[in-house]
Amino acid sequence: KVAAYEPPALMEAGGF
Amino acid sequence: MPVTPGASLSPHVTMTETEHGTVLLDERAGRYWVLNATGTTVIRLLLAGGSVDDAVRELRERHPDAAERVTADVAAFVRTLRDAEVMAP
């Protein structure tokens, strides 16, 4: 089983 | 294509794997990003010396049903990496 296609993405998740 | 083989992360960016996925830490700006699975595939391939075309080919092989959109998606992703200064110029 292959995961459904998602466009490659870079998601900003926060700061430290 | 804007990324040439032998691409590398910017000096101030560190990449690591966590239970939540691949995380990029920008030590200069004090922020971090999370990559989704296909983003991880692309960036790993680029950092291993592959080209953008190699990344497109890889995603097409994994997701033949999405073959038509992969080229544009990867190009947009690479632009995002550039804009975020994740990849070294």
Side-chain angles (χ1 to χ4, degrees), chain A residues 4-16:
Chain A
Y5 175 74
E6 286 183 358
L10 177 73
M11 297 158 283
E12 186 154 6
F16 60 89

Side-chain angles (χ1 to χ4, degrees), chain B residues 21-44:
Chain B
T22 302
V23 174
L24 294 167
L25 179 65
D26 182 339
E27 299 168 30
R28 185 181 63 182
R31 59 184 175 173
Y32 63 98
W33 298 273
V34 177
L35 292 166
N36 66 0
T38 46
T40 298
T41 297
V42 171
I43 202 166
R44 278 185 185 158

Side-chain angles (χ1 to χ4, degrees), chain B residues 7-77:
Chain B
S8 61
L9 292 175
S10 294
H12 56 277
V13 173
T14 305
M15 184 168 81
T16 194
E17 301 297 327
T18 76
E19 60 185 299
H20 302 280
T22 302
V23 174
L24 294 167
L25 179 65
D26 182 339
E27 299 168 30
R28 185 181 63 182
R31 59 184 175 173
Y32 63 98
W33 298 273
V34 177
L35 292 166
N36 66 0
T38 46
T40 298
T41 297
V42 171
I43 202 166
R44 278 185 185 158
L45 213 155
L46 295 176
L47 295 176
S51 67
V52 171
D53 289 339
D54 292 333
V56 168
R57 216 168 5 251
E58 177 70 22
L59 290 188
R60 281 181 170 169
E61 285 179 9
R62 293 187 188 194
H63 305 282
D65 54 322
E68 289 184 7
R69 58 182 296 192
V70 165
T71 300
D73 287 348
V74 171
F77 177 65

